[in-house]
Amino acid sequence: VWQIRLDMHLLNHDGNITDAASIAGIVALCHFRRPDVSVQGEEVTVYTPEERDPVPLSIHHMPICVSFAFFHQGTYLLVDPTEREERVMDGLLVIAMNKHHEICTIQSSGVVMLVQDQILRCSKITAVKVTEITELIQKALENDQKARKEGGKFGFAESIPNQRITAFKMESAAVDTNDVEEQAGEIIAKADPPAEVFANPVLHTPGTAQIGEGIESSWGDLEESEKEEAAEEEGESEAAAFECEKVETEDTSTMRDTKNDEPIVLSDSEEEEVVILEPQELPRKTR
């Protein structure tokens, strides 16, 4: 049995850590090589890298996460939000999918309620993005393998001198800031908002958005059997408390003198032993 542990250390980020972590994790697993093993009867042989080349893991598909940020109560959505955009977004939807268009997981958070059209729209965008990202991953793995065979520079060591990872160093590029507001207005005008938008979302649980019609959260509700057990325990507790009060009343009225409130001395004729009884409060059964 091989045990593989994947640890991710965040050096720096500019938003959307989930997508970056999913890509880094799946690429690390695809790039990893384990020692080759042979089994003959009950004898297991683990070969060193000098004896046999390590073999890759059996990874059937690559689940990739794609995040969507929602603004104006779900009217506008944005793929791959930055750190500043995450500060002002109303909600976040993360869809994990492979290149076969199989949805692995969906996670929604924030204070926005999503409708069916929005989920379907995001899933279609996810299918396109996952296909593109999977092709980039496979191409990067092929280039890395080719560079290793040729003895060139590859991997993390190649990125350190260029400060591509630790400092986000990139080549300077001119950005045209003319007519920015007009361009943004045209983009928003061409956007296709969902047919139905809820201005006031209904959240039954803080931090979790309702998708579709949904149902009320049953968290904390007791099952029928648990309700019956609780009712029986409550009835037994009340009966025990009543018996305790009754015994205490009888004991107090019998053991105490109503005038001087002094202990009564009883004598046991068989053993000839004198016992002084003080009235004590019996313990009550509490729920």
Side-chain angles (χ1 to χ4, degrees), residues 126-286:
T126 302
V128 177
K129 300 296 294 183
V130 167
T131 303
E132 297 176 356
I133 296 174
T134 303
E135 292 178 357
L136 291 175
I137 291 175
Q138 293 175 348
K139 184 178 179 181
L141 292 173
E142 293 175 359
N143 294 337
D144 179 83
Q145 186 177 4
K146 182 179 178 181
R148 288 175 182 274
K149 289 183 178 180
E150 296 177 354
K153 296 182 179 181
F154 51 83
F156 185 73
E158 180 188 4
S159 302
I160 292 179
N162 299 330
Q163 299 182 4
R164 291 171 52 188
I165 296 179
T166 56
F168 282 155
K169 184 177 181 181
M170 300 177 63
E171 297 181 358
S172 59
V175 179
D176 185 11
T177 58
N178 298 325
D179 302 331
V180 175
E181 296 182 358
E182 290 76 4
Q183 295 177 6
E186 294 178 358
I187 295 175
I188 295 175
K190 294 179 180 179
D192 185 16
E196 186 177 5
V197 177
F198 292 90
N200 298 320
V202 180
L203 301 181
H204 298 287
T205 303
T208 303
Q210 177 182 356
I211 301 177
E213 295 181 357
I215 57 176
E216 292 187 2
S217 174
S218 60
W219 178 264
D221 294 346
L222 298 178
E223 299 292 341
E224 295 296 332
S225 59
E226 295 178 350
K227 292 181 180 179
E228 294 177 359
E229 293 178 359
E232 292 177 359
E233 292 179 358
E234 185 177 358
E236 293 177 358
S237 178
E238 292 178 356
F242 177 76
E243 290 294 334
C244 291
E245 292 179 358
K246 183 178 179 181
V247 173
E248 180 183 358
T249 304
E250 294 177 355
D251 182 60
T252 304
S253 60
T254 304
M255 302 302 297
R256 291 241 176 224
D257 190 359
T258 55
K259 293 182 180 180
N260 51 18
D261 196 24
E262 295 180 355
I264 299 177
V265 180
L266 301 180
S267 176
D268 192 343
S269 60
E270 296 180 357
E271 298 181 359
E272 295 182 358
E273 181 181 0
V274 178
V275 181
I276 300 177
L277 299 181
E278 289 284 353
Q280 298 180 356
E281 182 181 357
L282 298 179
R284 297 185 180 182
K285 182 180 179 181
T286 59

Side-chain angles (χ1 to χ4, degrees), residues 22-210:
S22 69
I23 296 174
I26 194 64
V27 172
L29 293 176
C30 292
H31 189 269
F32 177 75
R33 298 292 186 271
R34 66 168 178 83
D36 195 5
V37 179
S38 65
V39 180
Q40 296 180 356
E42 296 182 354
E43 183 180 356
V44 179
T45 303
V46 180
Y47 298 96
T48 62
E50 290 76 14
E51 295 174 343
R52 288 189 182 182
D53 293 335
V55 295
L57 301 177
S58 299
I59 298 178
H60 301 288
H61 62 87
M62 301 180 184
I64 305 297
C65 293
V66 179
S67 299
F68 299 89
F70 292 91
F71 304 88
H72 200 270
Q73 294 298 332
T75 305
Y76 307 106
L77 65 86
L78 181 66
V79 184
D80 190 12
T82 63
E83 192 268 339
R84 289 187 176 182
E85 292 166 345
E86 288 179 345
R87 293 183 182 181
V88 296
M89 67 182 180
D90 295 332
L92 182 68
L93 177 67
V94 180
I95 301 178
M97 183 185 297
N98 56 23
K99 66 178 182 179
H100 304 294
H101 298 178
E102 297 174 347
I103 296 179
C104 303
T105 181
I106 296 180
Q107 181 182 6
S108 177
S109 60
V111 291
V112 60
M113 183 169 59
L114 305 177
V115 295
Q116 182 178 0
D117 294 341
Q118 292 170 316
I119 302 296
L120 294 176
R121 183 185 179 190
C122 292
S123 63
K124 293 179 181 179
I125 298 175
T126 302
V128 177
K129 300 296 294 183
V130 167
T131 303
E132 297 176 356
I133 296 174
T134 303
E135 292 178 357
L136 291 175
I137 291 175
Q138 293 175 348
K139 184 178 179 181
L141 292 173
E142 293 175 359
N143 294 337
D144 179 83
Q145 186 177 4
K146 182 179 178 181
R148 288 175 182 274
K149 289 183 178 180
E150 296 177 354
K153 296 182 179 181
F154 51 83
F156 185 73
E158 180 188 4
S159 302
I160 292 179
N162 299 330
Q163 299 182 4
R164 291 171 52 188
I165 296 179
T166 56
F168 282 155
K169 184 177 181 181
M170 300 177 63
E171 297 181 358
S172 59
V175 179
D176 185 11
T177 58
N178 298 325
D179 302 331
V180 175
E181 296 182 358
E182 290 76 4
Q183 295 177 6
E186 294 178 358
I187 295 175
I188 295 175
K190 294 179 180 179
D192 185 16
E196 186 177 5
V197 177
F198 292 90
N200 298 320
V202 180
L203 301 181
H204 298 287
T205 303
T208 303
Q210 177 182 356

